[in-house]
Amino acid sequence: MILGASCSSPKPEPHGAPEFYDLSVYEEAKVGDILEVAEVVPLLFERDTYPKYPYIVSFLGDTLIIEEVDEMVHVFAPDGHYIGCSNDMKGEGPGEYVTHIGHIVNPFNNTVDIMTFRSMHSYDPEFTHCVNESKLPTSITDTSSWLYDEGIALSESKYLLHSRKVTTPHKITLYDAESGTALNTWSYGDDILCRYTGSRQRFFRMPDGEILMAADGYASYIYRFDRDGSDFSKAIEFKYNDKTFSDNVTEEDFRKNRRIYIEYLENPDVEMPLAQLVNSKKIVTIIEVGPDYSRDRYLLLTDRGSGHTYRVETTEDDNVIFPSLYYIDENYLYNILTKEHILENPRCFLNKESEAASLLASIDDEDFVLIKYRFKK
């Protein structure tokens, strides 16, 4: 069962009342009323290991990191030039890794850390050498191995690791890379209403050092860790409309009963929170309606100060503006699209729509472009 939680793993509890937002109450808005394009960065094809499909995006300072699922990690300079690839360190020799599960950027060490089944390898951003190698922990109370595929660095050696590719996911471990041990572990499995999710960013560092975490799956909460990772609680709670899930739906439920799968994932009348992105001022909730991944999505943009929410359609004048959103920081919301998609859907450039052809003239149609969106209000 997906929702099982070890009795050794404390559950998150509110420290007072979490922030609360009723996402069933909103105003309609156009994308251009909410966002503007601040910068466009073509990602230049310079090596055979140029990404085929971005899956996870992160940043090490201004350096862009793109992960391809179960493949490799690519590094781009702030101006879009290609500077490194984890494939250069793949192998069975000293400092090399065999199987890629996920990555973490560590700004305290200026490293890109590759997680494998049993270990974490820390590399310089150009992937010329291994800075450190440490053993990843198993459960504190037993010897069953967990697969960690996401996380965030808290210091030179401390990390929060997220586990989802196991039989009992929805676990977070406080990890000490210096000793290769787990210092604590928590579970939020009891809050999951459906395992299905498309979220590409799990952890968010606030300006004061607090860490927020979006659930892997559909839950009604965003969670909080303090800056040293020692305290886990419910930070933000949401109410959705009556078209979203109301019952726990596990992967085993889907496997045993095809009707449930059709009812939830192929039903155009069911709305599913697919992913959430959050910074200190805004919350972006991506809602999917039925099985179509582009036509039937919309965004809810919530202001954490006023509590006001806007509903924004992902299509406008037959242009697909947001097929996906990858990352948010304190300044920008980020997307990565091919030149071909942008030219077919120029509205994704919003205020720079008329400049699309000239901005992208020097790159091939299949090359990717990083788009930085700024919130206008």
Side-chain angles (χ1 to χ4, degrees):
M1 293 290 290
I2 291 295
L3 300 181
S6 168
C7 61
S8 65
S9 301
K11 299 176 178 63
E13 295 297 336
H15 288 228
E19 291 180 36
F20 177 79
Y21 302 99
D22 185 348
L23 299 185
S24 65
V25 179
Y26 50 74
E27 289 184 16
E28 301 282 349
K30 296 286 189 180
V31 176
D33 298 331
I34 304 296
L35 297 170
E36 62 184 3
V37 172
E39 190 175 350
V40 175
V41 183
L43 306 180
L44 304 178
F45 185 93
E46 296 171 355
R47 296 178 59 174
D48 292 339
T49 49
Y50 189 83
K52 297 179 180 66
Y53 179 74
Y55 177 63
I56 301 291
V57 168
S58 61
F59 287 86
L60 184 60
D62 293 330
T63 302
L64 171 66
I65 315 293
I66 291 178
E67 176 182 321
E68 293 187 85
V69 62
D70 297 331
E71 288 288 339
M72 60 189 76
V73 172
H74 308 265
V75 184
F76 291 87
D79 63 359
H81 284 278
Y82 201 96
I83 65 173
C85 179
S86 64
N87 200 52
D88 292 344
M89 298 302 298
K90 194 169 185 178
E92 299 185 12
E96 296 177 334
Y97 73 97
V98 176
T99 303
H100 164 267
I101 302 295
H103 84 278
I104 302 173
V105 296
N106 189 326
F108 305 97
N109 294 330
N110 195 40
T111 59
V112 181
D113 305 332
I114 302 296
M115 290 177 287
T116 72
F117 290 108
R118 301 287 183 181
S119 59
M120 185 165 72
H121 300 253
S122 299
Y123 298 104
D124 66 298
E126 293 79 17
F127 285 99
T128 62
H129 66 282
C130 182
V131 176
N132 186 54
E133 181 179 343
S134 58
K135 180 182 178 182
L136 285 175
T138 58
S139 167
I140 290 178
T141 57
D142 59 52
T143 58
S144 61
S145 178
W146 296 350
L147 299 185
Y148 299 101
D149 60 348
E150 293 177 87
I152 190 169
L154 304 177
S155 68
E156 290 84 354
S157 62
K158 298 292 193 308
Y159 296 80
L160 289 173
L161 303 180
H162 188 276
S163 178
R164 67 178 178 183
K165 296 180 179 176
V166 286
T167 55
T168 54
H170 314 118
K171 303 274 189 177
I172 311 99
T173 297
L174 179 60
Y175 166 60
D176 178 15
E178 187 174 0
S179 62
T181 58
L183 304 179
N184 205 345
T185 183
W186 299 268
S187 171
Y188 60 92
D190 288 347
D191 297 332
I192 296 297
L193 296 176
C194 179
R195 187 178 188 274
Y196 185 76
T197 181
S199 182
R200 290 180 167 90
Q201 186 181 1
R202 187 76 52 224
F203 293 94
F204 308 85
R205 195 189 311 273
M206 299 295 106
D208 63 359
E210 176 186 73
I211 306 297
L212 297 184
M213 188 199 77
D216 177 40
Y218 167 36
S220 297
Y221 300 98
I222 286 177
Y223 301 91
R224 172 193 293 116
F225 286 90
D226 58 12
R227 62 190 308 158
D228 65 0
S230 62
D231 185 59
F232 181 42
S233 61
K234 296 174 181 176
I236 303 173
E237 182 178 2
F238 303 94
K239 175 186 175 182
Y240 295 96
N241 63 45
D242 57 9
K243 293 183 179 181
T244 53
F245 291 101
S246 59
D247 301 312
N248 286 15
V249 183
T250 70
E251 191 172 53
E252 186 173 342
D253 293 332
F254 283 139
R255 180 175 57 82
K256 289 182 176 180
N257 191 337
R258 174 68 180 174
R259 181 191 59 78
I260 295 177
Y261 183 91
I262 294 172
E263 178 183 354
Y264 284 105
L265 299 189
E266 297 182 6
N267 186 343
D269 295 323
V270 171
E271 298 190 356
M272 180 164 53
L274 189 65
Q276 286 188 304
L277 302 165
V278 59
N279 63 20
S280 65
K281 302 179 183 68
K282 307 288 184 181
I283 303 168
V284 180
T285 304
I286 302 173
I287 305 290
E288 181 180 290
V289 183
D292 192 301
Y293 278 79
S294 57
R295 186 187 68 235
D296 298 328
R297 283 188 181 184
Y298 64 88
L299 306 180
L300 296 174
L301 302 182
T302 303
D303 186 284
R304 294 181 67 186
S306 67
H308 199 89
T309 296
Y310 299 91
R311 173 174 168 151
V312 180
E313 299 299 328
T314 61
T315 59
E316 190 174 285
D317 300 327
D318 295 325
N319 279 264
V320 180
I321 303 175
F322 294 121
S324 58
L325 288 168
Y326 287 87
Y327 193 85
I328 194 173
D329 59 23
E330 285 299 296
N331 301 307
Y332 303 109
L333 186 63
Y334 295 84
N335 202 352
I336 293 181
L337 301 171
T338 62
K339 173 183 176 180
E340 181 180 22
H341 177 92
I342 294 168
L343 294 182
E344 290 177 353
N345 302 275
R347 279 296 294 146
C348 64
F349 265 23
L350 301 180
N351 51 298
K352 294 184 182 292
E353 178 180 359
S354 63
E355 305 172 50
S358 60
L359 286 171
L360 307 181
S362 62
I363 67 172
D364 296 333
D365 285 354
E366 65 271 18
D367 285 354
F368 291 106
V369 178
L370 176 71
I371 307 173
K372 298 181 180 181
Y373 295 101
R374 180 189 293 116
F375 288 102
K376 295 173 69 173
K377 61 178 180 179

